[in-house]
Amino acid sequence: RGKRAFIAGIADDNGYGWAIAKSLAAAGAEILVGTWVPALNIFETSLRRGKFDESRVLPDGSLMEITKVYPLDAVYDTPEDVPEDVKTNKRYAGSSKWTVKEVAESVKEDFGSIDILVHSLANGPEVSKPLLETSRYGYLAAISASSYSYVSLLQHFVPIMNPGGASISLTYIASERIIPGYGGGMSSAKAALESDTQVLAFEAGRKHGIRVNTISAGPLRSRAAKAIGFIDMMIDYSSENAPLQKELSAEEVGNAAAFLASPLASAITGAVLYVDNGLNAMGVGV
Ligand code: NAI
């Protein structure tokens, strides 16, 4: 049987989640997607109307199939956690069972188990503010959406993951080096995500034989990155200063994710894998 992957954090065809889905599909995996509730409608409509058909093309010429799209808000673990104003919000009221626990239950009901879990989501309401000006609310919201969301996803999905399964998240070098502009506690959130990758690798490895890795990706002009406001500068900086002076394609990150999720990486866990044209290795720009 081919492998089954659940990818959290796809709402269009521009981000890393989409590229990872394609690489996994090209390698023969069945694709399930978790899409942020407020973005669900437009994503499903666009899919249905063929808006993504060009970007669904796989190397063998066939189109990537998404078996099922689940509404998901990774900031809420159970229905009891959802505040009244969100529950009654028009964009949320039209969908149901979108807390992390409920999505894991639905996937179990529909498919029984998965082999690969991908976390490709982040959110920081104050990302454009320097850390020194970030509010407690903004900081904790960044950690909740971008770091704890991963702990929660693993917590709820590990019980339905087959032994030998693998999990992958996306991180950014702002966790360990100063990247001015990546504010609002997002640098802190990525540091937490990377540290958690190690602890979760230990716990999920010992208990369930599941591997946990993260990819530190270079800059990509995704929807989320455009919202931060400095993405073009980061792309230019990378092509000027990285060992490999080419633009990074989402597909390169997708392929690295497919490798990490495959048996070829069976001894790799708890790792941060840089997929950034080597930029992380530079000490000064030249
Ligand atoms: P993207 O916009 O394609 O993906 C982010 C996704 O997160 C969106 O689909 C959004 O709807 C979803 N999301 C936000 N809050 C959510 C919530 N509460 N529940 C469920 N989904 C939620 O953008 P991108 O850039 O591909 O981001 C994917 C991952 O890659 C993120 O972790 C990001 O930090 C990371 N990354 C991105 C880099 C870049 O330059 N674009 C560089 C390094 C890492």
Side-chain angles (χ1 to χ4, degrees):
R1 173 181 86 68
K3 297 202 170 160
R4 186 177 294 121
F6 181 85
I7 301 146
I10 301 182
D12 59 41
D13 58 349
N14 293 318
Y16 281 134
W18 177 271
I20 292 170
K22 277 182 75 175
S23 294
L24 291 173
E30 177 176 20
I31 305 299
L32 312 178
V33 165
T35 299
W36 196 29
V37 187
L40 181 73
N41 226 329
I42 180 155
F43 179 62
E44 284 197 306
T45 308
S46 306
L47 253 185
R48 205 170 343 106
R49 293 198 181 147
K51 216 190 128 200
F52 300 137
D53 281 0
E54 238 171 82
S55 25
R56 280 172 61 208
V57 180
L58 299 175
D60 71 356
S62 68
L63 294 193
M64 167 172 71
E65 290 297 336
I66 297 177
T67 306
K68 187 159 180 182
V69 179
Y70 293 86
L72 167 71
D73 195 322
V75 158
Y76 304 109
D77 305 309
T78 69
E80 294 76 56
D81 296 335
V82 182
E84 207 50 42
D85 60 319
V86 175
K87 250 181 231 163
T88 54
N89 181 303
K90 244 207 279 178
R91 292 190 299 175
Y92 282 80
S95 300
S96 60
K97 296 192 183 168
W98 40 258
T99 66
V100 176
K101 180 166 184 268
E102 292 169 291
V103 175
E105 283 167 358
S106 301
V107 171
K108 183 180 181 185
E109 229 177 87
D110 295 343
F111 299 98
S113 66
I114 63 166
D115 303 285
I116 299 162
L117 174 70
V118 179
H119 175 282
S120 182
L121 63 97
N123 203 6
E126 296 180 15
V127 63
S128 50
K129 281 191 194 165
L131 187 55
L132 198 52
E133 290 163 30
T134 296
S135 72
R136 185 180 301 269
Y137 161 80
Y139 184 97
L140 294 177
I143 296 271
S144 173
S146 314
S147 317
Y148 188 78
S149 57
Y150 189 44
V151 176
S152 179
L153 272 173
L154 265 175
Q155 203 175 95
H156 292 96
F157 276 87
V158 153
I160 66 162
M161 284 178 78
N162 296 314
S167 172
I168 294 150
S169 69
L170 277 303
T171 186
Y172 185 47
I173 191 145
S175 59
E176 43 173 327
R177 300 275 186 269
I178 302 165
I179 308 282
Y182 198 71
M186 279 307 300
S187 57
S188 331
K190 291 306 191 189
L193 184 69
E194 289 173 30
S195 176
D196 294 347
T197 297
Q198 298 182 320
V199 178
L200 294 167
F202 171 73
E203 295 178 2
R206 286 289 175 92
K207 221 172 151 190
H208 304 276
I210 286 163
R211 297 181 295 105
V212 182
N213 294 295
T214 189
I215 291 176
S216 186
L220 173 77
R221 221 176 265 102
S222 66
R223 188 187 170 102
K226 279 192 277 190
I228 301 171
F230 70 169
I231 189 65
D232 290 315
M233 201 187 91
M234 295 324 273
I235 290 172
D236 290 347
Y237 182 89
S238 181
S239 47
E240 265 166 45
N241 296 296
L244 302 176
Q245 294 188 294
K246 60 179 178 58
E247 191 153 325
L248 179 70
S249 74
E251 187 187 353
E252 292 175 294
V253 170
N255 289 342
F259 159 69
L260 281 177
S262 80
L264 294 174
S266 57
I268 303 178
T269 192
V272 178
L273 179 67
Y274 295 92
V275 185
D276 65 347
N277 284 325
L279 185 63
N280 72 91
M282 298 300 295
V284 291
V286 282

